[in-house]
Amino acid sequence: MSDGYENQALENLEGKYQAMVVCCILGIGSLVSWNSMLTIADYYYQVFPDYHPSRVLTLVYQPIALGTIMILAYHESKISTRKRILTGYILFTISTFLLIVLDLTTKGHGGIGHYIVLCTIVASFGLADATVKGGLVGDLSLMCPELIQSYIAGSGMAGALTSVLRLITKAAFEKSNNRLRKGAMMFLAISTFIEFLCVMLYAYVFPKLPIVKYYRRKAASEGSKTVVADLAAAGIQNQSDLLHEFSMQSDDNSKNQRLSKKELLLQNIDHAVNLFLIYVLTLSIFPGFLYENTGQHGLGDWYALILVATYNFWDLVGRYAPLLNWLKVENRTALTIAVLSRYFLVPAFYFTAKYGDKGWMIMLVSILGITTGHLTVCIMTIAPKGYTGPEKNALGNLLVVFILGGAVVGIYLGWLWLIGKKNAF
């Protein structure tokens, strides 16, 4: 029976590369709106100079995302993955478009009222992020590692793409009136289109790919109820047939008894804590420190943009690095050592900002980016191995909780960089 199962698995791998491309685009869509906000932060600093946009907007975004993912992770086994993810991408699309409407309505003028509306829209980004990210990580954890790696790499690509476009638009509109505003509007329009594209891809393309149907049918046979709507969208509606089809693969009934969330967390506590620590450090430095604590240099107002672009580029490189087997870290002790060693970057950033040259700062930002991306992918691809479909979905949601939890703590700690700075508040 096991030989037959392996043969069936090989036959159903058709569409793997198409699925990887779609997952990459979905990854871009899960962060492109937020990354656009970060990348056009220089525009918001011009419109709202007294309100610390890069710090405050991040502070609004991440706690909402964390609260939402905690609720969704608790109820993950009862929520349709298809409805959840489509709701998230639709919310992303609407919210990004509303940013354009807000700017056109206010004609690019600031003020506390406009800032509150902006923060409200950004809060909806946090809601959409948790809805999409937890749902997709859980969904893709059911499948082969290449798909979740492509999704995570796509989220890194969103940052690199927005940074490159920001540098191009800044140069293109350098001598025009309202140059920052024109670039910002272009960014938001592109982001709106990408979010709408993600809605179409997930609704009509992704569920019909053979490899996706195979893994979802396998998950359904293991008792997963979250994939039923996706299977129906692919034309597979009779779950009892699925259970009969896959029941012949194993006579071990204990296989269908899933571990509880507590048991899953205890078995993967090192992965969860490592992800938490990764994003505590990263979000304590990126983006607020790069915009407000790196001083003035010969690059002028290009400096912060170049630092953000550098981080995003190396973050993307790090997310693709594990495709090379010799760069993939699977030893759990080695991962923990690598995560803890990153905290030497804190004094390094402090002294470089105070005494160092821009070249040293760019090097440190590169290290921060590549280690964030690389370690995230290594942990997220090895953690689900050995579990059933429902367990993988639950574990994926739990790991996202720790990522967003680390991000929230990092954002709060990032305010400590302002201590001792003149006119910081």
Side-chain angles (χ1 to χ4, degrees):
M1 284 299 175
S2 61
D3 292 339
Y5 171 75
E6 292 299 330
N7 290 334
Q8 183 181 7
L10 291 173
E11 290 173 1
N12 283 277
L13 287 180
E14 181 184 351
K16 178 178 180 179
Y17 293 107
Q18 295 95 315
M20 289 174 67
V21 171
V22 173
C23 287
C24 184
I25 296 173
L26 293 174
I28 293 173
S30 69
L31 270 183
V32 69
S33 293
W34 176 238
N35 273 310
S36 292
M37 291 287 295
L38 296 180
T39 309
I40 62 175
D42 53 345
Y43 170 62
Y44 286 121
Y45 271 99
Q46 181 186 78
V47 179
F48 308 105
D50 300 323
Y51 300 133
H52 302 286
S54 67
R55 295 184 189 275
V56 172
L57 294 180
T58 307
L59 191 61
V60 171
Y61 174 91
Q62 293 292 358
I64 295 293
L66 176 60
T68 304
I69 189 60
M70 290 177 70
I71 295 171
L72 293 176
Y74 182 78
H75 297 287
E76 51 80 26
S77 62
K78 304 174 184 177
I79 301 173
S80 166
T81 300
R82 179 176 177 81
K83 293 178 181 178
R84 173 178 173 177
I85 294 172
L86 285 176
T87 299
Y89 278 122
I90 291 171
L91 185 56
F92 265 135
T93 305
I94 295 172
S95 300
T96 310
F97 182 71
L98 286 178
L99 286 176
I100 300 175
V101 174
L102 173 65
D103 194 85
L104 293 175
T105 303
T106 62
K107 299 180 180 179
H109 297 304
I112 187 64
H114 298 162
Y115 195 59
I116 292 173
V117 175
L118 175 65
C119 289
T120 303
I121 296 174
V122 169
S124 70
F125 279 175
L127 184 63
D129 179 33
T131 305
V132 166
K133 189 177 293 180
L136 268 173
V137 168
D139 193 25
L140 297 178
S141 294
L142 306 171
M143 306 177 195
C144 57
E146 290 85 351
L147 297 190
I148 193 169
Q149 187 275 334
S150 295
Y151 168 75
I152 297 173
S155 63
M157 191 176 293
L161 176 65
T162 53
S163 289
V164 170
L165 289 174
R166 186 71 190 100
L167 295 174
I168 293 173
T169 55
K170 183 174 174 61
F173 297 129
E174 186 72 26
K175 297 181 180 180
S176 65
N177 295 327
N178 295 324
R179 56 188 176 86
L180 291 178
R181 187 184 181 206
K182 290 178 180 178
M185 291 302 98
M186 180 180 293
F187 262 87
L188 295 176
I190 292 172
S191 298
T192 303
F193 170 76
I194 292 175
E195 300 296 0
F196 180 73
L197 176 63
C198 288
V199 173
M200 295 295 104
L201 286 175
Y202 191 83
Y204 300 110
V205 177
F206 190 65
K208 296 180 181 179
L209 295 173
I211 187 173
V212 174
K213 289 194 288 186
Y214 168 74
Y215 280 112
R216 282 176 171 164
R217 291 170 69 179
K218 183 174 182 294
S221 75
E222 294 170 338
S224 177
K225 298 178 181 179
T226 62
V227 298
V228 174
D230 286 297
L231 289 172
I236 304 170
Q237 298 188 30
N238 194 338
Q239 192 174 14
S240 62
D241 291 344
L242 297 177
L243 294 172
H244 175 72
E245 175 183 348
F246 283 92
S247 64
M248 302 192 325
Q249 295 168 8
S250 175
D251 294 327
D252 186 5
N253 292 327
S254 64
K255 190 175 182 181
N256 281 329
Q257 297 180 3
R258 62 171 280 180
L259 297 172
S260 68
K261 293 181 179 67
K262 181 179 179 181
E263 291 170 324
L264 286 170
L265 183 57
L266 290 175
Q267 290 182 12
N268 293 275
I269 192 64
D270 57 331
H271 290 323
V273 172
N274 283 339
L275 287 170
F276 179 84
L277 293 175
I278 287 171
Y279 285 89
V280 167
L281 177 64
T282 299
L283 270 293
S284 69
I285 296 170
F286 178 86
F289 177 88
L290 303 185
Y291 275 103
E292 298 187 13
N293 293 87
T294 50
Q296 299 296 322
H297 294 274
L299 293 172
D301 59 359
W302 284 83
Y303 188 46
L305 291 180
I306 289 174
L307 291 179
V308 171
T310 300
Y311 170 85
N312 284 324
F313 172 76
W314 285 107
D315 178 55
L316 175 62
V317 171
R319 290 169 191 253
Y320 274 106
L323 288 176
L324 302 174
N325 288 329
W326 60 278
L327 288 176
K328 183 183 294 184
V329 182
E330 295 189 341
N331 183 278
R332 299 171 83 141
T333 302
L335 284 169
T336 300
I337 293 172
V339 169
L340 294 176
S341 65
R342 295 174 80 236
Y343 278 78
F344 287 111
L345 289 172
V346 174
F349 270 102
Y350 174 79
F351 287 109
T352 301
K354 200 167 186 178
Y355 306 109
D357 186 70
K358 56 182 176 291
W360 290 103
M361 183 61 71
I362 290 173
M363 183 191 74
L364 289 176
V365 171
S366 301
I367 295 172
L368 181 71
I370 196 168
T371 54
T372 298
H374 185 242
L375 293 173
T376 299
V377 170
C378 287
I379 294 171
M380 296 297 290
T381 53
I382 66 171
K385 290 183 178 179
Y387 294 106
T388 64
E391 291 166 348
K392 290 178 179 179
N393 185 56
L395 179 59
N397 277 270
L398 288 173
L399 294 180
V400 173
V401 170
F402 279 84
I403 289 175
L404 294 180
V408 170
V409 174
I411 291 162
Y412 282 109
L413 292 177
W415 286 86
L416 297 178
W417 293 107
L418 296 179
I419 295 176
K421 185 179 177 183
K422 293 181 180 180
N423 300 320
F425 300 97

